[in-house]
Amino acid sequence: MLKKIIILILAIFIICIIIYIGALWMGLKEDIVKIKNYHPQLTTQIFDRKNHLIANIYDKEFRFYAKFDEIPPKMIEALLAVEDTLYFEHGGINYDAILRAIIKNIKNGKYVEGGSTLTQQLIKNMVLTRDKTLSRKIKEALLSIQIEHILTKEQILERYFNQTFFGHGYYGVKTAAMGYFKKPINRLSLKEIAMIVALPRAPSFYDPTKNLDFSLSRANNIISRMYNLGWISKEEYEKATTQIPQVYNQTLTQNVAPYVTDEVLKQLSYIPDIKSGGYKIKLSIDLDYQKIAQDALKYGYENIKKRLDKEHYKKAQEIPDEYDSLNGAMIVTDTKTGKILALVGGIDHAKSAFNRVTQTKRQFGSTIKPFIYQIAFDSGYSTATSVPDVARSFNKSYNTDITETDEKDEYWRPNNFSKSFKGLVTLKEALSHSLNLATINLVEMVGFNKVYTQLQEYGFKNLPKDMSIILGSFGISPLEAAKEYSIFSNYGQMVEPNMIESITDRNGNVEVFEPKEPQEITSPQQAFLTISILKEVVSNGTGRRAKVKGIEMAGKTGTTNNNIDGWFSGFTPSIQAIIWYGRDDNTPIGPKESGGIVSPPVFSYFISNVLKIDPGLKRKFDIPEGVAKKTINKSDYYYTHTSKLPDNKVQDTIDEKLLF
């Protein structure tokens, strides 16, 4: 009877165990699917137009994926030598290793060794906790058996090498190789392989950037094990054990253009896994240009500081050390395509990630004037047309002159920057010297409504309907300014600045980002009339500090009231740059810090250094067919068939080159 009871109890116990294991087995379906359909988080990379790395972007796990055939055989051997020598012989569980571990743990009276196979380690890394409980151990064993039936040994190894954490924030052997040694895995030495293979056991302890001696010692143990197994020769053993590789302590992101990276992530925010999908993003950015632009903007910033220090010292006998609100921005584009070659949203991204190229709108100042003159030229005026540079007063309503009876707060009395006026001047002289009064009178001649409507058609937004817009009283971002100025730099064709060229996903599918079609604003001939004067701005006008010997330049300075904003929008035959300085709190930069002082030297610095690395840049502007030139009073004036020059100003000696 007792025997029957014992047998019954045993049977019930066995049935319970079977039911329990069966329930566990059935409940592992999700985990099996996860391991089988392995889709780890992968690092997204951003590259410039020359395929130089701009930044690595990741979410929670920093990982580059290595397929099995990329992994060197020596790396597989090193791993198996210390972790699972019989890997290719067992079915997911090594019972001999488990037995040895149990005996060793009993002898030591504590847990000192495990008998886990690589398959079991992969399962722990991917789907289970590391708790030493019976339930977890049973699940691990059951999963290991199932996975070995579903996946090949090579597929399991591929997952192991990519899933495992190798310290320093690196997941996967490909990441560890690039991170610690700046090498692809196929170029690693045996010692470097052993140092990487040593890491999963204790990633922090064996991190070579922290404990190089321990890392080398553990690697030598692995190499000795490989030698004892007969997997490497004596010569390989001796060479590897004496080598001390160079180890690099790198940041994970390696972000050399943070404002660019921020903008890319903003533009691609519609992709939910943009940080973890392993995308390869190709940009039009040129890192050489980007570095020069960053240096140029800093150069201008330091020059402003020096002048302000000197001015302050004269007044207070002390030099201030705080310039927290002073900042700048710069965007460089290709004149023909609008491709962004460099984008710098501030002096120091670490101090302020706010992107002043794309996120700020500042008053445009006199940088708006070329657009007004372009409207005049398209209305039949020529570069030699005369306009009075004399003082005027206006009601706030754009089209009414002031009378003596008007109240003080009802009118507006603009002045030239110089506080003087020149009388009758040509449009060339008026624009090249940025004469406010002449420009205002030109608008009166053309018609305010026509100018206002045309500026809106150019794409300028939020324009107040009063005469102050003629002096750039409205806000605009440097990015928007880059688009608008392409009207001139691209000879009448406005192009949208663009930066992302293509995205390749983890499966190799490529999405190409086609730029928008250029918008025809005016003819190349008419645009060249403005270009010819903007060249004069740099040669002899307010932008002369931008000059660089040996290359033609054009551009326009801009200053807002009280020197709050300082602009320069300049271009060569192939490169355009918009440069802005100001304070984030909208206070004045300084008493003498006008746009003509703070920004043009930055353009000069930039172009000078670009020419050193890219000397083949186009040096001269093309003169379109249909443009003629006459010399009047020793000054050259360009015109087209729609903008004849006044005959009474032509002298006896005329240099005329009719190109139509």
Side-chain angles (χ1 to χ4, degrees):
M1 185 67 180
L2 181 61
K3 187 178 179 181
K4 288 182 180 180
I5 292 171
I6 292 171
I7 292 171
L8 182 61
I9 292 171
L10 242 128
I12 293 170
F13 179 71
I14 292 169
I15 291 169
C16 288
I17 290 175
I18 292 171
I19 293 170
Y20 175 71
I21 292 174
L24 285 177
W25 183 282
M26 295 301 292
L28 297 175
K29 188 176 180 181
E30 254 184 56
D31 293 334
I32 292 169
V33 170
K34 184 176 179 182
I35 297 170
K36 181 184 177 183
N37 303 323
Y38 182 52
H39 293 294
Q41 289 191 8
L42 299 181
T43 297
T44 289
Q45 293 187 290
I46 303 174
F47 298 94
D48 80 345
R49 64 176 181 172
K50 298 173 182 173
N51 290 320
H52 296 147
L53 179 66
I54 294 176
N56 294 317
I57 306 299
Y58 66 101
D59 188 10
K60 295 176 182 176
E61 296 179 355
F62 184 63
R63 177 187 288 107
F64 300 125
Y65 196 86
K67 293 183 179 179
F68 182 78
D69 56 11
E70 293 180 64
I71 301 167
K74 281 287 186 286
M75 181 168 276
I76 296 171
E77 290 171 358
L79 177 68
L80 299 187
V82 291
E83 294 294 343
D84 195 350
T85 309
L86 299 175
Y87 173 73
F88 284 101
E89 298 174 29
H90 62 67
I93 300 173
N94 187 337
Y95 299 102
D96 290 341
I98 292 172
L99 185 59
R100 284 196 305 271
I102 290 171
I103 294 170
K104 194 168 185 178
N105 292 338
I106 291 171
K107 282 182 179 179
N108 286 274
K110 60 180 180 179
Y111 182 87
V112 293
E113 185 178 307
S116 297
T117 63
L118 286 177
T119 309
Q120 289 173 288
Q121 291 181 38
L122 172 65
I123 289 164
K124 274 187 285 191
N125 288 339
M126 284 193 67
V127 296
L128 298 180
T129 66
R130 291 185 174 270
D131 297 337
K132 297 178 178 66
T133 62
L134 179 62
S135 173
R136 204 270 301 157
K137 277 290 185 184
I138 295 172
K139 283 183 179 179
E140 182 184 296
L142 293 174
L143 276 170
S144 297
I145 294 168
Q146 291 191 68
I147 291 301
E148 288 273 353
H149 281 87
I150 293 169
L151 301 176
T152 66
K153 290 286 187 179
E154 290 76 14
Q155 289 173 324
I156 293 170
L157 277 174
E158 182 176 315
R159 284 159 175 75
Y160 179 91
F161 277 117
N162 285 287
Q163 180 64 25
T164 303
F165 178 60
F166 287 90
H168 211 76
Y170 303 143
Y171 286 83
V173 289
K174 191 172 187 176
T175 321
M178 292 302 297
Y180 290 121
F181 304 113
K182 290 187 178 181
K183 291 180 181 179
I185 51 178
N186 63 353
R187 287 181 48 210
L188 293 173
S189 68
L190 179 56
K191 185 59 162 284
E192 291 165 341
I193 285 173
M195 290 170 73
I196 289 175
V197 166
L199 286 161
R201 182 69 63 90
S204 182
F205 185 75
Y206 292 123
D207 185 338
T209 66
K210 300 174 183 176
N211 301 308
L212 181 59
D213 290 342
F214 291 118
S215 175
L216 293 171
S217 176
R218 174 64 177 160
N220 284 341
N221 290 337
I222 294 172
I223 293 164
S224 296
R225 171 69 173 161
M226 294 175 73
Y227 177 65
N228 293 333
L229 288 169
W231 292 356
I232 59 172
S233 66
K234 186 176 182 181
E235 183 183 355
E236 288 175 308
Y237 166 75
E238 290 175 347
K239 181 181 178 181
T241 51
T242 56
Q243 184 193 5
I244 302 178
Q246 180 170 357
V247 178
Y248 297 89
N249 188 1
Q250 304 182 77
T251 61
L252 300 184
T253 60
Q254 298 182 43
N255 191 348
V256 295
Y259 287 109
V260 170
T261 300
D262 290 351
E263 182 60 22
V264 169
L265 291 177
K266 181 181 175 184
Q267 290 186 26
L268 299 178
S269 60
Y270 63 89
I271 302 175
D273 64 340
I274 188 61
K275 290 184 178 181
S276 60
Y279 297 95
K280 309 292 184 189
I281 304 171
K282 180 78 175 290
L283 305 183
S284 60
I285 292 290
D286 186 307
L287 274 185
D288 295 325
Y289 283 36
Q290 179 73 20
K291 175 64 166 59
I292 295 171
Q294 289 172 178
D295 292 345
L297 198 67
K298 190 70 181 291
Y299 165 78
Y301 173 81
E302 294 296 338
N303 282 342
I304 295 171
K305 282 177 61 178
K306 287 176 185 176
R307 289 191 297 270
L308 294 179
D309 287 346
K310 188 175 180 181
E311 186 69 25
H312 192 89
Y313 183 77
K314 285 179 181 178
K315 292 181 179 179
Q317 295 297 305
E318 62 180 42
I319 299 176
D321 56 5
E322 291 294 332
Y323 291 89
D324 289 344
S325 66
L326 179 62
N327 227 298
M330 183 173 181
I331 178 172
V332 181
T333 53
D334 180 279
T335 57
K336 302 299 180 189
T337 64
K339 290 181 177 180
I340 299 174
L341 304 175
L343 185 153
V344 189
I347 301 300
D348 188 344
H349 185 273
K351 292 181 179 178
S352 171
F354 182 72
N355 192 333
R356 294 157 190 85
V357 169
T358 61
Q359 293 178 289
T360 191
K361 288 185 183 291
R362 303 293 293 238
Q363 287 197 4
F364 209 24
S366 292
T367 329
I368 188 62
K369 288 176 183 171
F371 300 92
I372 295 167
Y373 283 74
Q374 187 65 59
I375 295 167
F377 297 146
D378 291 345
S379 300
Y381 292 84
S382 77
T383 58
T385 298
S386 296
V387 63
D389 181 50
V390 294
R392 297 279 297 281
S393 295
F394 299 91
N395 276 340
K396 288 183 178 179
S397 174
Y398 66 86
N399 60 357
T400 308
D401 282 317
I402 190 71
T403 65
E404 292 298 327
T405 58
D406 285 319
E407 294 294 330
K408 184 178 180 181
D409 63 350
E410 291 181 350
Y411 61 87
W412 174 55
R413 281 185 179 152
N415 287 305
N416 284 330
F417 185 76
S418 64
K419 306 299 182 185
S420 62
F421 51 89
K422 297 188 174 184
L424 206 61
V425 296
T426 64
L427 296 192
K428 176 182 177 180
E429 185 178 2
L431 180 54
S432 62
H433 293 285
S434 198
L435 301 179
N436 293 339
L437 300 174
T439 303
I440 290 169
N441 288 321
L442 174 62
V443 171
E444 287 284 288
M445 291 163 58
V446 174
F448 177 86
N449 285 332
K450 183 174 184 177
V451 170
Y452 183 81
T453 301
Q454 190 62 58
L455 288 175
Q456 288 181 313
E457 290 178 4
Y458 285 169
F460 289 104
K461 297 179 176 63
N462 301 317
L463 299 177
K465 197 166 185 181
D466 60 56
M467 291 290 274
S468 68
I469 63 168
I470 297 156
L471 304 184
S473 64
F474 57 93
I476 188 172
S477 71
L479 178 66
E480 292 167 332
K483 177 182 177 181
E484 297 295 344
Y485 258 82
S486 68
I487 293 173
F488 310 120
S489 62
N490 196 31
Y491 286 76
Q493 300 270 322
M494 184 162 65
V495 288
E496 187 94 32
N498 57 90
M499 184 164 60
I500 301 173
E501 296 195 340
S502 67
I503 300 180
T504 305
D505 67 18
R506 66 168 77 198
N507 298 316
N509 301 312
V510 181
E511 180 185 0
V512 177
F513 285 67
E514 296 291 347
K516 291 182 179 179
E517 286 294 318
Q519 180 184 351
E520 185 172 349
I521 301 298
T522 189
S523 69
Q525 293 79 10
Q526 292 298 111
F528 185 78
L529 299 183
T530 305
I531 294 171
S532 69
I533 302 179
L534 295 181
K535 285 170 60 181
E536 186 69 17
V537 170
V538 176
S539 298
N540 301 299
T542 59
R544 57 190 175 277
R545 290 176 177 84
K547 279 192 289 190
V548 173
K549 188 176 179 180
I551 186 168
E552 289 187 340
M553 294 178 168
K556 183 67 185 75
T557 58
T559 310
T560 59
N561 287 342
N562 302 316
N563 297 334
I564 288 176
D565 301 280
W567 294 83
F568 183 71
S569 299
F571 54 95
T572 71
S574 56
I575 297 173
Q576 174 184 283
I578 307 296
I579 300 153
W580 167 87
Y581 284 100
R583 293 186 183 274
D584 290 334
D585 58 6
N586 278 297
T587 57
I589 302 172
K592 298 178 181 178
E593 302 302 307
S594 67
I597 292 174
V598 300
S599 296
V602 175
F603 189 69
S604 176
Y605 180 102
F606 177 78
I607 296 297
S608 298
N609 284 279
V610 164
L611 287 173
K612 292 176 184 177
I613 63 169
D614 208 351
L617 286 179
K618 190 173 181 180
R619 304 291 180 116
K620 290 186 176 294
F621 288 103
D622 293 328
I623 302 176
E625 288 188 20
V627 174
K629 181 180 74 173
K630 289 185 179 180
T631 300
I632 305 174
N633 296 332
K634 299 181 180 180
S635 183
D636 292 336
Y637 293 89
Y638 289 90
Y639 65 98
T640 68
H641 68 282
T642 62
S643 57
K644 297 295 185 182
L645 297 181
D647 291 335
N648 62 342
K649 284 195 172 283
V650 181
Q651 296 192 345
D652 294 335
T653 56
I654 297 177
D655 174 21
E656 182 173 23
K657 184 180 179 184
L658 294 176
L659 303 176
F660 54 90

